[in-house]
């Protein structure tokens, strides 16, 4: 990973002060690590560069994780053509790159905390906070999506549960440095996320409650900047029409959009909605359907308050890009989540000329209070929680973790880690349909209906007793 750190250093220099960059924005070739560390305010430059790398990596992470789910199908020639299967080979360059993103973020944060901070007497608690939260997030990514990864350069592969424990340890370090209630809520939300995935219900509940007390509408996002080439890779695929959503999620697409050609939509990495979802799921695990309904209804109130973007022109979206298969585009179509489910209207929206659409850049859902209040048993409520999770986190790269899918250790790291060969195979639960089954649906043109082959939220409930999904069950 040393090579990646040096690359990141050069990236940081590109974003630094005029003392390190010539007037034509060419990096001075005489600026080495020593010169950087002795420059004015190197920590400010390093934090800026690390945050930009974080944004770039998350754009790529979200793009690939959305294919590796039942959210999107890659109907074009760009991006991975095998994650949809899903096929996750330890030799796949995308698997390797995703792992490198995680490792590079961790090492950039450590370099800033251990080296740059020692060289810069002006380093602030706020700067340390930013680096610690990025480091914690790298452990969250490792714990959510990989079977195991090294936690230091050339070290042994550490399994996913310990990665999440590492995230929690780093968040403990970051919390005293938080400057605002929103910062503290951000820490507690990430902590609740890690504890939820580990199945630690009491810890997750405590942190979710505290996060909502501090900031009931928290929304932490990564920003992009087209003028400096910091582009949202997920937006390129989703707004660029490479990907087609599962028809029952059509109304949420696209989360990333452009009103003018230079627009770059931010990616949300933490929001208060997660805490409501955790608390609802915990209430069900504790046998309280009434409390679960209360938390879900509170969530719906929050989602309704989130900003929307109206009058978005998505008329180039033909739902046939790439020519692989037709996706329905007429709002007259009703959709059922499986052959056993009822048909629902309003899930497919009209984006054909002259129609303009409304976009939900933070959160949107098809779930209503009537649906919540009508819940009569645990399993139906848990299924609705996971539908909410799917819709709320749509296009944020979260769904594979809820499906229990984990990537293998890549070939390079497996060769250097003594225990690496133990993690060369991905973990794909037996209940996850293969051969594009996650994305399967049929269309009845005459009846104007769409039937999804697998309702994966019900599949999650049916397999809640396994170690793969529904951590609180």
């Amino acid at each position: 990973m040393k090579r990646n750190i040096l690359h990141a250093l050069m990236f940081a220099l590109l974003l630094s002060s005029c003392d390190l960059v010539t007037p034509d924005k060419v990096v001075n070739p005489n600026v080495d690590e020593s010169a950087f560390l002795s420059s004015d305010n190197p920590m400010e430059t390093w934090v800026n560069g690390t945050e930009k790398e974080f944004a770039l990596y998350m754009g790529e992470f979200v793009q690939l994780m959305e294919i590796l789910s039942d959210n999107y199908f890659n109907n074009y020639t760009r991006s991975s053509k095998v994650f949809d299967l899903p096929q996750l080979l330890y030799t796949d360059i995308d698997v390797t790159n995703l792992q490198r993103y995680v490792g590079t973020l961790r090492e950039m944060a450590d370099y800033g905390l251990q080296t740059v901070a020692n060289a810069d007497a002006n380093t602030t608690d706020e700067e340390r906070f930013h680096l610690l939260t990025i480091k914690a997030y790298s452990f969250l990514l490792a714990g959510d999506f990989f079977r195991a990864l090294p936690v230091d350069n050339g070290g042994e592969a550490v399994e996913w549960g310990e990665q999440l424990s590492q995230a929690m340890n780093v968040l403990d370090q970051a919390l005293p440095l938080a400057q605002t209630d929103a910062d503290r809520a951000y820490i507690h939300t990430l902590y609740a996320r890690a504890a939820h995935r580990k199945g630690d219900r009491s810890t997750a509940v405590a942190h979710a409650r505290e996060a909502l007390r501090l900031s009931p509408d928290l929304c932490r996002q990564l920003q992009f900047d087209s003028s400096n080439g910091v582009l949202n890779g997920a937006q390129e695929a989703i707004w660029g029409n490479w990907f087609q959503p599962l028809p029952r999620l059509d109304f949420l697409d696209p989360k990333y959009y452009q009103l003018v050609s230079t627009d770059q939509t931010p990616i949300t990495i933490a929001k208060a909605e997660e805490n409501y979802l955790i608390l609802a799921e915990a209430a069900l695990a504790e046998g309280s359907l009434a409390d679960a309904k209360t938390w879900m209804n509170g969530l719906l109130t929050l989602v309704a308050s989130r900003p929307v973007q109206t009058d978005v022109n998505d008329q180039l979206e033909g739902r046939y890009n790439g020519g692989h298969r037709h996706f329905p585009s007429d709002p007259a179509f009703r959709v059922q989540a499986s052959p056993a489910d009822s048909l629902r209207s309003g899930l497919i929206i009209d984006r054909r000329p002259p129609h303009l659409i409304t976009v939900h850049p933070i959160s949107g859902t098809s779930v209503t209070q009537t649906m919540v209040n009508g819940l009569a048993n645990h399993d139906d409520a848990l299924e609705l929680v996971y539908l909410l999770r799917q819709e709320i986190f749509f296009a944020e790269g979260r769904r594979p973790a809820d499906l229990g899918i984990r990537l293998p250790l890549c070939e390079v790291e497996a060769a250097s880690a003594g225990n690496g060969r133990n993690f060369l195979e991905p973990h794909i639960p037996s209940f996850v349909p293969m051969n594009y089954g996650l994305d399967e649906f049929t269309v009845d043109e005459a009846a104007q209906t769409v039937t999804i082959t697998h309702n994966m939220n019900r599949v999650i409930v049916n397999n809640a007793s396994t170690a793969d999904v529904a951590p609180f069950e």
Side-chain angles (χ1 to χ4, degrees):
M1 290 294 180
K2 181 65 173 177
R3 179 180 175 185
N4 290 336
I5 290 296
L6 293 176
H7 166 76
L9 173 60
M10 296 309 296
F11 184 83
L13 294 178
L14 282 168
L15 300 168
S16 64
S17 69
C18 296
D19 293 336
L20 299 178
V21 183
T22 62
D24 58 0
K25 297 184 179 180
V26 175
V27 177
N28 184 340
N30 297 316
V31 175
D32 58 12
E33 183 178 4
S34 176
F36 168 68
L37 292 174
S38 60
S39 67
D40 291 337
N41 302 314
M43 180 58 92
E44 180 181 354
T45 299
W46 190 258
V47 170
N48 189 31
T50 304
E51 289 180 336
K52 295 297 175 66
E53 291 285 273
F54 186 19
L56 287 168
Y57 291 164
M58 282 303 298
E60 298 302 315
F61 224 104
V62 168
Q63 180 191 135
L64 289 167
M65 291 300 99
E66 285 302 298
I67 310 174
L68 183 61
S69 75
D70 53 341
N71 286 350
Y72 276 107
F73 175 73
N74 181 11
N75 204 33
Y76 207 58
T77 56
R78 303 279 297 273
S79 199
S80 174
K81 295 300 292 182
V82 298
F83 274 31
D84 268 319
L85 282 165
Q87 176 179 289
L88 304 170
L89 301 177
Y90 71 95
T91 53
D92 189 324
I93 187 61
D94 287 320
V95 171
T96 300
N97 285 339
L98 289 169
Q99 179 171 325
R100 285 176 175 166
Y101 299 155
V102 172
T104 301
L105 285 175
R106 184 192 68 243
E107 292 197 9
M108 286 189 73
D110 279 341
Y111 183 83
L113 293 164
Q114 298 168 12
T115 302
V116 183
N118 287 335
D120 187 351
N122 295 319
T123 294
T124 65
D125 283 349
E126 183 177 8
E127 289 167 335
R128 289 188 176 90
F129 175 85
H130 284 306
L131 292 177
L132 283 168
T133 54
I134 290 172
K135 181 177 180 179
Y137 211 96
S138 76
F139 284 123
L140 277 177
L141 293 173
D144 271 350
F145 301 114
F146 287 88
R147 289 188 60 199
L149 289 182
V151 297
D152 50 48
N153 190 25
E156 296 283 282
V158 175
E159 294 192 55
W160 66 268
E162 179 56 30
Q163 299 280 350
L164 295 173
S165 294
Q166 293 272 8
M168 294 158 80
N169 291 339
V170 177
L171 292 169
D172 281 333
Q173 298 171 44
L175 185 58
L177 305 179
Q179 305 293 301
T180 66
D181 280 351
D183 283 346
R184 284 180 275 273
Y186 176 43
I187 294 294
H188 286 293
T189 300
L190 296 184
Y191 211 111
R193 170 178 167 178
H196 169 259
R197 187 63 56 203
K198 284 173 63 72
D200 185 348
R201 190 169 71 217
S202 61
T203 298
V205 166
H207 284 274
R209 286 181 177 275
E210 181 64 6
L212 289 177
R213 185 188 70 80
L214 291 165
S215 179
D217 61 352
L218 171 75
C219 181
R220 190 60 57 100
Q221 298 180 312
L222 296 176
Q223 303 294 327
F224 298 86
D225 180 4
S226 60
S227 63
N228 285 303
V230 184
L231 305 179
N232 180 347
Q235 176 172 303
E236 183 181 17
I238 291 170
W239 177 249
N241 302 334
W242 306 357
F243 297 175
Q244 303 297 318
L246 199 67
R248 66 181 180 80
L249 301 169
D250 179 271
F251 72 100
L252 292 171
D253 177 73
K255 180 165 277 188
Y256 312 112
Y257 61 94
Q258 291 181 325
L259 299 180
V260 298
S261 61
T262 56
D263 282 348
Q264 291 290 305
T265 312
I267 289 177
T268 301
I269 57 172
K271 54 189 177 183
E273 286 89 335
E274 179 143 27
N275 298 305
Y276 281 99
L277 287 162
I278 287 171
L279 290 166
E281 189 173 348
L284 288 174
E286 293 162 1
S288 179
L289 179 59
D291 285 348
K293 289 181 179 182
T294 298
W295 289 117
M296 282 190 269
N297 280 324
L299 170 65
L300 296 183
T301 300
L302 172 61
V303 172
S305 74
R306 292 301 196 186
V308 297
Q309 177 62 57
T310 60
D311 298 329
V312 175
N313 186 336
D314 197 26
Q315 294 167 9
L316 292 178
E317 174 57 77
R319 291 293 181 236
Y320 192 45
N321 296 35
H324 178 80
R325 67 184 301 187
H326 282 287
F327 284 69
S329 59
D330 190 331
F333 277 83
R334 294 174 297 158
V335 183
Q336 54 189 149
S338 78
D341 282 284
S342 300
L343 288 162
R344 297 184 64 193
S345 301
L347 299 182
I348 294 173
I349 60 176
D350 199 342
R351 59 194 82 224
R352 301 167 299 178
H355 298 281
L356 302 177
I357 66 170
T358 296
V359 172
H360 304 270
I362 297 176
S363 294
T365 183
S366 67
V367 175
T368 66
Q369 281 197 344
T370 298
M371 293 167 65
V372 171
N373 293 336
L375 292 169
N377 61 70
H378 169 278
D379 283 3
D380 286 348
L382 186 60
E383 181 181 338
L384 199 64
V385 166
Y386 273 87
L387 174 59
L388 283 163
R389 286 184 65 89
Q390 183 175 24
E391 293 182 345
I392 295 297
F393 298 135
F394 180 72
E396 294 176 11
R398 300 288 300 276
R399 182 65 167 177
D402 280 351
L403 296 175
I405 300 172
R406 296 187 179 279
L407 280 68
L409 189 65
C410 77
E411 185 175 26
V412 174
E413 291 292 351
S416 60
N419 61 344
R421 299 197 66 83
N422 297 334
F423 306 106
L424 292 179
E425 295 296 323
H427 181 73
I428 303 175
S430 60
F431 52 78
V432 171
M434 304 298 288
N435 298 317
Y436 303 109
L438 284 171
D439 304 305
E440 282 183 355
F441 61 89
T442 57
V443 178
D444 186 328
E445 297 284 353
Q448 291 190 305
T449 60
V450 181
T451 301
I452 311 300
T453 304
H454 302 284
N455 180 350
M456 291 306 299
N457 296 308
R458 183 166 300 133
V459 171
I460 288 171
V461 173
N462 290 342
N463 291 275
S465 61
T466 71
D468 296 313
V469 292
F472 290 164
E473 293 296 305

